[in-house]
Amino acid sequence: MAQPVSSGTTRPAARRKKMPYWVEPLTTLVVLGTWLLYSLWEVLFHNTGTYHNYISPYFSPGIAGWFGWHILTALYVAWVPFLFRFTCYYYRKEYYRGFFWDPPGCAAADAPRKRYSGETKWPLKINNLHRYAWFLALIVLLFLWKDAVEAFIFPHHGFEVRVGSLILLVNVVLLTFYTFSCHAFRHMVGGRRDCFSCGGKPSQSYRFWSRVSRWNAFHGAWAWASLFSVWAADLYVRLLLMGVIHDARLF
Amino acid sequence: MTTETLETHQYDVIVIGAGGSGLRAAVAAAEGGLKVAVITKSLLGKAHTVMAEGGAAASFGNLDAPDGWETHFYDTMRSGHFINNYRAVEIFALEAPDRVLELEEWGAVFDRTSAGRIMQRAFGAHSFRRLCHIGDHTGLELLRTMQYKSIHSGIDFFMEVTLTTLLKDGERVAGAFGYYRADGRFVLFRAKAVILSTGGWGRIYKITSNSWESTGDGAAMAFRAGADLTDMEMVQFHPTGMVWPPGVRGLLVTEGVRGEGGLLYNSEGERFMERYDPARMELSSRDVVARSIFKEVQAGRGTPHGGAWLDISHKGAEYVKRKLPAMYEQFLTLADLDITRERFEVAPTCHYTMGGIRVDAESCASSVPGLFAAGEVAAGLHGANRLGGNSLTDLLVFGRRAGLGASAYVQAWQGDAPKVDQATVEAEMVRIVAPFQRSEGINPYQLHQQLQELMTVHAGIMRSGDVLAEGLEKILDLKDRARQMMAAGSRTYNPGWHAVFDVENMLLLCEGIVRSALERKESRGAHWRTDYPDELEEFQRVNYVESYRDGEIQVRTEAVSPMPERLAKLFTYGKAPGLVSPAEREAMG
Amino acid sequence: MSEGITLSVWRGDKDGGEEVGYQVPAVPGMVVLDALHWVQQNAQPDLAVRWNCKAAHCGSCGAEVNGEPKLLCKTRLDDYAGETVRVRPMATFPVIKDLVTDVSWNYQVAEQIPPLDPAVPAPFTMYQEDASRVQEFHRCIECFLCQDTCHVLRNHDGTDKYFGPRFMVKIAEYEMHAVDQGDRVPLLAQAAGLNMCNVTKCCTEVCPQHIRITDNAIIPLKERVVDRYYDPIRTLFRRLAGR
């Protein structure tokens, strides 16, 4: 278990009146859809995400630059986090409900799609390779940590803390929680085993697994929080680049 | 009616009731290569066994090494106030650990000790920590494990079938007859042996922890078919049932709450158990604790809704949620109360019927050849008061014994299969549908309510001769009126119709309870008479046995068979046998 | 809570039916099942509803209250103050009568799951951390509300393709048992239809026992199926090892 048994069991003083079943999937559709459109705009219409020592998470690591390519530079890397999120067990729930209407809500009386094959056929079968997306995302995450550190070291000024530095730091922290609360990771560190203590005492993998399990209970929260933080970080850098806002120094 | 096609099945053994003992019996019988069917009036896996919470008693001594079968025997006999069948208790105490281990092999996952063995918890009147448990849903675990074991054992299941009568061929049992609840279709089971595992009849009281099924069908059918019942006066009231809100009044609060350290207080904040059993306090036997709460309320020291306070909050939220998750959830959802923070009200609730079909300890055979009984429907093991945690192991030990007993009976069979008398079956068909033929009559639900109120007043936790006698009159009157019970609507899943047979069965058993209770002119275990408040030596030597002949209940006494020397000496040390050192034993001979 | 409760109960059988209204007097702490019992006792004794323990231990009284799959014995009426309480049978299973449905399909599925196959005889040496992991699954009361809400079964006629959440929990209980040596991964990948599930979590939402069905049973099982059937590198190593 290693997850709170009673999470969500507390009976609210009065049951919240149920919203129509379509509210939730529609919200998901709108929010995720907007994010997708924004991301496409960002990736297809911009070639740089670097503002002094800040680099937008969409453009890091700058693989394109390593080879001297200069068009659509975000495309070489942005697909990794996208794939990680697309195959994520939590986002799967959200987009199957929001985009596919499979199902729109629990026990909803709605006419669903006629054809349904779950995740047994291509292309949705690709979701079974979530663990590989996790490894790729881990590499990107390492670069984002490097970026976050560099975001505190300003050219000519040295170490300073500005709004942008904090945004990038918060972003990478949230992404770390999101990455390490992953279901596939939980399986790899210990979930695969049937017996944690066959040696007579809890194994190291049990300790990893139970720690990941505790984080995993909030995987959905990390997923949303890190999505918005990535969005915010990129938007912040973009607005700086566009000269719309100015970075403020805190101390 | 006779034109209706009659579905007929032929089996070696039919098991009536799919609780823990029924399934264990069926598995044992099927292992012997017999053709076995289990017939239940509910769905598979829903039997009253799921309501058992605290644990299954077996003397592993995983935590308390001195425990052993002798101490389990000693505790059980003492709590049963020595009218138990000693041989049944001996078999029980000896075989309980093996039956629990069997469950483990079949998939049950008990809580563990730090050494990786089955965890055991303390419980009322057990000398040692003895109850193997999984949180507070041990009964669910037992039943689910048996369910999945039995579906892989080549047994046929008939779900939601009400059986209304046992059939006989001469003296021997020949099968059973009834109908499918889903559509009202008749069904006949021909069998060489019948095992009854239909549970108790706790629904006869208004405040009860029992599920609707506990209407005593098996005991009533066996009684009508000529089997003897015994110890009918012994009805256990569990000390801690929920009190508030009214809809959940009587719902069980597991003894595990006290086992895990819960404390009882009266309205004045005293731990009143000090007055009644200072040595064992909250963990005294159920009859004592129930009576103590009752007396506190009578003395005006009860809680606002007439009970006592039970408090487990001092153990900490984490611990309570882990060890008593179902209790936590139950109070939170049904009473808006967080037991990790607040105390709560409890009061006695009808819980278990110690009495039932008189059976042989070795084989569970009743006085009717071919008819066996195990579990709550059978009597003898628990005597005048059941120890908490003994019922779950009872199901396993005697379920298996009944299965083996029936197997041996069938294997020794000579000659033709038993014949079923056509006329009897046809008469029963007419009787079953008769409630539909009455255009005016009594609603069985209302009759049931009246019976419950009557039993609560006249044969409840506190009894006396006058009140009992008055109760008997009222029962006989109700029995008369019950002939007019009617059902409306169709035979398709009609609970109003099903209730008719439940009420008939309960009425018969209520009469049995009151008649025996009138005879036992003393107080013993669960049977508390204000006109005879003391436990009397002469009554320790007898069981009251009832038989049903020509529509009349006859009560007689049968001597309790005395323990042989090797067992009797376990009671001579002045303490639990597990605590007696070998040297002391030597010294005492 | 002083005035009455307006109850609207679906009455009918396999040939159809309709909702019928009842006025029931309110009592503090009352649950939906109490109201139905009042109807049985005072108005319609033949109102069919399956129930046993009335304590949320047996899982008999699953139905849909105002569109949500619920245990009738655990659904408080004061949660619906001012609303009509609409009670309908579970939609995924064929109706027998009123609120009673034919859930026999579930029992047929149960028979297809190979039982526990312990590697050693009892008593097992097994520690609490290993027990805790599967004990969560042992809390299941087989109310079949998860089966009822599962859209694969409910909306896509998936009973021939998918065992449903209840039995994923059951398989997880055996697969993750520390002493079990059985292998149910091929069953999961094939007949049990694990990948028909698209982890949309309605089963977890309705579970009255709060079993984290999707996170703790289904997804870990999916990962085990991936290990065996989808992971190219593990497949390669298995081939090289000649297994």
Side-chain angles (χ1 to χ4, degrees), chain B residues 34-185:
Chain B
L34 300 182
K35 198 175 170 219
V36 181
V38 171
I39 302 147
T40 162
K41 66 175 177 172
S42 292
L43 294 173
L44 188 55
K46 307 296 177 197
H48 188 58
T49 308
V50 296
M51 298 292 287
E53 291 165 344
S59 56
F60 289 109
N62 287 344
L63 289 171
D64 298 321
D67 199 10
W69 78 267
E70 289 180 336
T71 311
H72 197 181
F73 175 86
Y74 168 89
D75 290 341
T76 305
M77 288 300 295
R78 269 168 46 112
S79 283
H81 293 256
F82 298 98
I83 60 166
N84 329 43
N85 177 336
Y86 80 85
R87 179 60 187 146
V89 182
E90 186 185 13
I91 289 171
F92 169 76
L94 278 165
E95 295 183 359
D98 285 347
R99 298 288 81 75
V100 172
L101 289 182
E102 229 164 45
L103 276 191
E104 183 160 87
E105 276 186 19
W106 294 340
V109 177
F110 293 97
D111 286 355
R112 317 303 295 183
T113 65
S114 58
R117 297 294 171 189
I118 295 175
M119 184 71 169
Q120 300 188 280
R121 71 158 52 113
F123 233 55
H126 284 281
S127 299
F128 298 106
R129 285 174 286 179
R130 190 178 284 150
L131 265 73
C132 310
H133 61 277
I134 162 169
D136 52 3
H137 47 99
T138 316
L140 174 68
E141 183 74 357
L142 186 153
L143 186 65
R144 197 67 76 231
T145 305
M146 284 314 307
Q147 175 187 342
Y148 278 82
K149 170 67 183 170
S150 61
I151 60 174
H152 294 292
S153 298
I155 298 161
D156 291 342
F157 292 93
F158 294 85
M159 295 197 273
E160 300 200 311
V161 170
T162 297
L163 295 177
T164 57
T165 189
L166 294 176
L167 301 168
K168 285 172 77 179
D169 177 7
E171 280 308 298
R172 297 182 307 191
V173 80
F177 182 79
Y179 63 90
Y180 285 97
R181 296 168 85 87
D183 53 10
R185 210 160 20 104

Side-chain angles (χ1 to χ4, degrees), chain C residues 48-235:
Chain C
V49 53
R50 206 180 253 138
W51 70 286
N52 278 32
C53 73
K54 206 181 161 295
H57 291 335
C58 74
S60 299
C61 61
E64 294 177 14
V65 181
N66 288 13
E68 291 177 87
K70 294 269 190 193
L71 290 182
L72 297 175
C73 67
K74 220 180 142 179
T75 306
R76 292 271 297 267
L77 282 165
D78 35 15
D79 283 345
Y80 298 85
E83 289 176 70
T84 297
V85 182
R86 300 176 59 220
V87 193
R88 299 177 68 92
M90 292 194 281
T92 299
F93 305 111
V95 158
I96 294 175
K97 188 181 153 203
D98 303 342
L99 301 174
V100 176
T101 53
D102 177 3
V103 292
S104 55
W105 172 75
N106 294 292
Y107 291 94
Q108 290 156 20
V109 171
E111 288 176 26
Q112 296 173 49
I113 299 173
L116 190 81
D117 181 10
V120 290
F124 300 157
T125 304
M126 185 181 187
Y127 295 89
Q128 187 59 46
E129 48 274 14
D130 284 318
S132 293
R133 187 193 197 184
V134 290
Q135 279 176 336
E136 176 183 11
F137 309 137
H138 288 243
R139 292 154 56 94
C140 175
I141 55 174
E142 295 202 334
C143 61
F144 305 130
L145 289 178
C146 56
Q147 306 286 78
D148 178 47
T149 199
C150 175
H151 69 111
V152 181
L153 307 174
R154 188 184 180 99
N155 301 129
H156 300 294
D157 294 329
T159 48
D160 56 341
K161 301 184 200 75
Y162 181 41
F163 282 5
R166 158 57 188 139
F167 296 102
M168 296 303 116
V169 169
K170 186 72 202 176
I171 294 174
E173 173 190 321
Y174 292 147
E175 273 302 288
M176 298 175 195
H177 191 291
V179 183
D180 175 68
Q181 56 181 359
D183 177 14
R184 298 162 196 81
V185 174
L187 175 74
L188 284 167
Q190 291 144 23
L194 177 59
N195 272 357
M196 288 301 284
C197 166
N198 64 355
V199 295
T200 38
K201 289 200 169 173
C202 283
C203 49
T204 306
E205 282 180 28
V206 302
C207 179
Q209 291 292 82
H210 310 294
I211 301 171
R212 298 175 63 92
I213 301 175
T214 317
D215 285 329
N216 289 349
I218 293 182
I219 293 175
L221 290 177
K222 277 190 172 238
E223 285 294 316
R224 286 169 187 231
V225 169
V226 172
D227 278 350
R228 188 80 59 88
Y229 290 94
Y230 295 100
D231 187 327
I233 294 178
R234 290 180 80 88
T235 307

Side-chain angles (χ1 to χ4, degrees), chain A residues 3 97 106 116 119 131-132, chain C residues 196 200 202 212 227 231:
Chain A
Q3 293 191 340
R97 285 196 188 190
C106 301
Y116 175 82
E119 299 187 323
R131 56 185 63 173
Y132 290 97
Chain C
M196 288 301 284
T200 38
C202 283
R212 298 175 63 92
D227 278 350
D231 187 327

